[in-house]
Amino acid sequence: MPSQLRSAPPRSSSPAGRSRGAGVRSALAAAVLVAATGVVTSATPAAATPESSLQQIVPAPVEVTTRPGTAFALTAATEIRTQPGSAEARRVGEYLAGLLRPSTGYRLPVQPARSPRGITLLLTGADPRVGEQGYQLDVTPAAVVLRARTADGLFSGVQTLRQLLPAKVESPTRQRGPWTVPGGSVLDHPRFGHRGAMLDVARHFFSVDEVKRYVDQIAAYKINRLHLHLADDQGWRIEIKSWPNLAVHGGSTEVGGGPGGYYTQEQYRELVAYAASRHITVVPEIDLPGHTNAALSSYPELNCDGVAPPLYTGTEVGFSSLCIGKEITYTFVDDVLRELAALTPGEYLHIGGDEAHATTEPDYLTFMNRVLPLVAKHGKKATGWHEFLKAEPGAGAVAQYWGTTGAAPELAAAAARGTTIVLSPANRAYLDMKYDENTELGLSWAGYVEVRDAYDWNPGAYLEGVPESAIRGVEAPLWTETLTNSDEIEQMAFPRLLAVAELGWSPASTHDWTGFATRLAAQGPRLAARGVDYYASPQVPWRN
Ligand code: IFG
């Protein structure tokens, strides 16, 4: 069932003939506008027929009202105006200008809003239904007015607005106009607060610029969490000043024996800040106590036998474990979590906990029961792969579920104890799963995941015995055993990430594969204009 799509009744000669709200509102707005600015909106050039539509937005909004026959024309004279006195609203305005200037060639000055003219971003007057993360967008011939209660909301509204301009607006080079936005209104807010993408930078290392590129791509679909898998058997990717060899030695290779690499703390701060400028919070993961060969290889003293194993460039899992019985292990973890917490504005640290096959069950519990309090000691909350529930991490913790069935009694028990859950079912949300038997990249241990598999499930009802209220949201992990560059990331992440993004944002009532596939098809030209090397799944009616 498509989103609550309401079209204003066909236009009639007299304003009174149109649906009372929209008609009167826009007539009044126009009148107010002329009075306030003396600018006769008829000066606005008659807008050409818009190329984009309010019916193509991904993720699907809560409520869309179209006003056929009306449109806003972006011109060289258009200004972007933002909430006076709000630096963060101004930053969203500058971000929007940065998106539109290259392709339109327009100056698009950003200045405080004195009247809702041009493109206006306001933090006042939004319908309360938008809540803390939503927005309200109103497009008339006179103005595009985006209202929200937070800069997060404005940023999300900008992602919708950019989809209402022609796809060529996404081009990095000057394109011919016209640049029209279809008239209408959107009222929107997210279903879940956690809408995540995970990037594994441990199996293969990705540069700061490659990660920034991914951040820009996921921000376009209202993803608001970037989980960085920073350490594993094959690589340690973050400088820890108290244990320098972790990055220098542990970060010196990767799957296949390449040069690997790591982020200095300065570079990592830059990544976190860049993500924050796209209203994305970074959730850093140091996987413990398994998946630790890179750390064990960096410091002999971390090993039970005092011997450092060689660096590992294969793709096996489950063979490594910190030495649970040694005190130095907890000094090490404490130091790492302390430095990571200092680099993390977000409230969560991810401590992994998956596939600890080389750690006995009692040792695993001993380890987790000593490490979980360290996360709290450094002012953060713990999140981990769902295996860590064995240690009953408590109400503030978040379990990331990566199973392949909704029957997971340990998750229901944890939810009953107040633990909340991020859903990453591997046979739905793992972007490193092959699309089908012909996909060269990726793995297939959880089965093939085509676009429809990634879309056709309901996070609110997925886990048996777990109410929607215990679900924080969804996250799409991209493991990189087989991926080495941005093109390969994009082939696996797009378009399936858009499916997971919609599951995280849109109301369950809008869930409809046929409708989504049609809307996804309209995203194709936009992704192409941005140079995203997406997989043209045969399940989607792509346009030329
Ligand atoms: N499982 C491992 C990952 C990665 C993945 C590849 C989790 C939580 C298989 N653990 O997923 O390290 O190897 O699909």
Side-chain angles (χ1 to χ4, degrees), residues 255-473:
V255 168
Y262 64 88
Y263 308 115
T264 64
Q265 293 201 355
E266 251 345 278
Q267 287 171 319
Y268 184 75
R269 285 183 204 281
E270 181 188 338
L271 270 182
V272 169
Y274 191 82
S277 73
R278 271 68 179 155
H279 293 260
I280 293 172
T281 301
V282 168
V283 179
E285 178 189 352
I286 300 292
D287 205 342
L288 304 165
H291 288 274
T292 44
N293 187 77
L296 294 165
S297 177
S298 303
Y299 287 95
E301 59 270 42
L302 286 179
N303 296 265
C304 284
D305 61 4
V307 176
L311 290 169
Y312 179 66
T313 59
T315 57
E316 293 303 312
V317 298
F319 60 86
S320 58
S321 173
L322 292 176
C323 185
I324 306 306
K326 274 187 159 182
E327 269 314 302
I328 192 171
T329 295
Y330 305 97
T331 306
F332 162 72
V333 172
D334 190 24
D335 289 341
V336 168
L337 294 181
R338 183 185 69 253
E339 293 195 36
L340 196 59
L343 293 165
T344 301
E347 56 178 333
Y348 284 91
L349 296 184
H350 198 302
I351 57 170
D354 64 305
E355 298 179 318
H357 303 324
T359 312
T360 66
E361 183 94 357
D363 276 359
Y364 184 88
L365 295 178
T366 300
F367 178 82
M368 282 297 172
N369 289 327
R370 288 198 62 176
V371 164
L372 284 163
L374 296 179
V375 176
K377 170 186 169 188
H378 297 300
K380 298 299 176 182
K381 292 179 183 173
T383 178
W385 300 106
H386 67 264
E387 292 98 319
F388 91 148
L389 290 175
K390 283 178 256 181
E392 299 194 359
V398 173
Q400 182 167 8
Y401 180 70
W402 63 288
T404 55
T405 162
E410 73 273 32
L411 275 292
R417 289 198 305 270
T419 296
T420 52
I421 296 155
V422 168
L423 285 173
S424 299
N427 55 351
R428 297 289 186 174
Y430 267 35
L431 304 177
D432 64 315
M433 289 301 113
K434 292 174 183 291
Y435 291 92
D436 61 27
E437 63 279 4
N438 302 317
T439 311
E440 283 177 31
L441 299 167
L443 305 174
S444 57
W445 63 269
Y448 295 128
V449 178
E450 248 288 8
V451 179
R452 182 162 189 169
D453 301 312
Y455 182 78
D456 249 354
W457 59 288
N458 176 0
Y462 177 81
L463 284 174
E464 291 166 21
V466 177
E468 178 158 341
S469 58
I471 303 299
R472 292 179 77 81

Side-chain angles (χ1 to χ4, degrees), residues 76-119:
T78 299
E79 297 170 347
I80 294 175
R81 298 159 165 275
T82 61
Q83 181 68 42
S86 168
E88 46 179 9
R90 176 176 180 77
R91 277 194 291 275
V92 179
E94 290 291 356
Y95 167 83
L96 172 60
L99 289 177
L100 306 183
R101 284 173 181 148
S103 51
T104 61
Y106 296 156
R107 212 162 52 83
L108 298 171
V110 179
Q111 51 206 2
R114 281 181 299 282
S115 66
R117 197 181 71 197
I119 298 177

